[in-house]
Each structure stands twice: as structure tokens, then as C-alpha cells.
Amino acid sequence: MSTLQLIDNAIPQLTLEDSGNKALQLIADYKCTHLPVVNKDKYLGLISEDDLLDKNREGTTLELFQSDFVPVKVMVTLHFLKAVPLCNLYHTNIIPVVNETDELLGCIRSLSLINALGNFCGANELGGLIVIEMEPSRLAISEINSIVESDGATILHLNVSPIASGQLQVTIQINKREISTIIASFGRYEYSVVYYSGEELFENDLATNYQNLMTYLQI
């Protein structure tokens, strides 16, 4: 999914001739932390509510705030993931999208990015979730996939991220909720499972063992 697909064209654009009071009112109306400023369709940067509140005076225009503009933007041709870290880096809930000539095409709201990120990582899909930790040298995607497929399941999403201990944390989303045998298989292969979510069916095993014990006692 590209950044173009997430643009919200309802977010207004400001110009250098607009007053600080107008900018503050629009920021409040659209519930934004920032708004984009343009000059002859060229994107100049974001003006923040905090800077406006600190320096705004009656009759002040945005031309006097140019040194405070935040130069955050993302190209329209990029994948939406490139926009995600910019929200945290610049403490903004909108990300401007521009073309190759710096023409402002619109803005992406942070909530739209969160929703897209949730869909991208499979958070909205039914199935089991397994998190394992390992040394980087141990990572073998083919072996992990083989363990999952041996139980008739399929990996829908797999994410690898480093953690503070120097190890890797591998998050696996699969298309089955019955994950007890897969968890057991990871254990046999000496993987450290630190979290899982699904239907483990251990209750069925306990019930079977209990019934076998009762049958044995009746002999």
C-alpha cells in the first residue's frame, strides 16, 4: 500500500498570508497537532499548535513563523510504512504527502497509519500468535516454516526484530487457533516460546488422561 492510498484530502492547507488565529482555529476544528503550509502549491512545512500558542499575536501571519516550520514529509511513491516512524519522530498526528516537485497532495492521519499497520501485520485476522526468542545465528525461516507446516498450518505473517538482550524476537501469525502441537514442536526443537495466543486444547488432553485413569481403576 502506498502513501497515496491513505491520503485524507479533508485536512486543510494554510498559506503564508493566513493568520495565526486562523491556523489555531483550523487545528482545533480538525483535531490536528499540526497543519501544512504551502506557497503557490509548494509545500513549506508543518506549523505546530504549540508554536502558534507560544508566539501568536493579533494580526500575526504565518510568514513570521517560517523558522518554526517542521520539514516532515513523505513521497507519494513510497510504501506507507515509511510514514509510520515520522509521527513519533516529529510528534505529529498528520504526515504530508508530496510529489517529486514538492507539491502537497494531501496528508495522512496517524490513525489511518495505525489501521493500515494493523492490517499489514495481521492483527485483524483470526488465528494463533506465537512469539519466540533466539540468538541471531539460530534464525532459520525455513525451519520455522517447516515446524508450522508440519501441523497443517500456514504462516500468514512473520516479523523479526532485535531486542535489548542482543537476541532476536520472532513473531509468527498462523491461520490456526489450535496451537498446542505447534508449541510442543517448537519446544522439541529447543526454541524459547515467550508468548502465544490461541486455543491450546490442553483441556482435551487432560480429559483423555482422566478417562484413561478411571478405566484403569475399574479393571
Side-chain angles (χ1 to χ4, degrees), residues 130-133 182-184 186-187 190-196:
I130 303 170
V131 181
I132 56 181
E133 291 182 0
I182 297 177
I183 296 297
F186 276 122
E190 298 183 344
Y191 284 98
S192 175
V193 178
V194 296
Y195 175 85
Y196 55 85

Side-chain angles (χ1 to χ4, degrees), residues 144-181:
I144 293 173
N145 186 59
S146 178
I147 292 172
V148 172
E149 288 187 340
S150 67
D151 193 58
T154 300
I155 294 177
L156 300 176
H157 300 275
L158 186 146
N159 181 72
V160 180
S161 56
I163 54 179
S165 64
Q167 292 188 312
L168 296 179
Q169 188 172 87
V170 182
T171 304
I172 309 162
Q173 178 97 16
I174 63 174
N175 66 339
K176 291 180 64 176
R177 290 192 59 80
E178 300 83 2
I179 61 174
S180 58
T181 55

Side-chain angles (χ1 to χ4, degrees), residues 75-135:
M75 286 291 296
V76 67
T77 54
L78 294 180
H79 195 278
F80 84 91
L81 285 178
K82 294 295 184 179
V84 173
L86 297 179
C87 290
N88 288 330
L89 181 61
Y90 292 97
H91 306 289
T92 177
N93 63 3
I94 65 166
I95 300 295
V97 180
V98 301
N99 61 17
E100 63 278 0
T101 61
D102 257 0
E103 179 184 2
L104 182 64
L105 303 181
C107 295
I108 302 174
R109 288 186 179 272
S110 57
L111 182 58
S112 297
L113 285 175
I114 293 172
N115 290 334
L117 191 60
N119 292 329
F120 180 80
C121 69
N124 297 328
E125 297 177 9
L126 297 177
L129 186 68
I130 303 170
V131 181
I132 56 181
E133 291 182 0
M134 66 187 73
E135 296 292 334

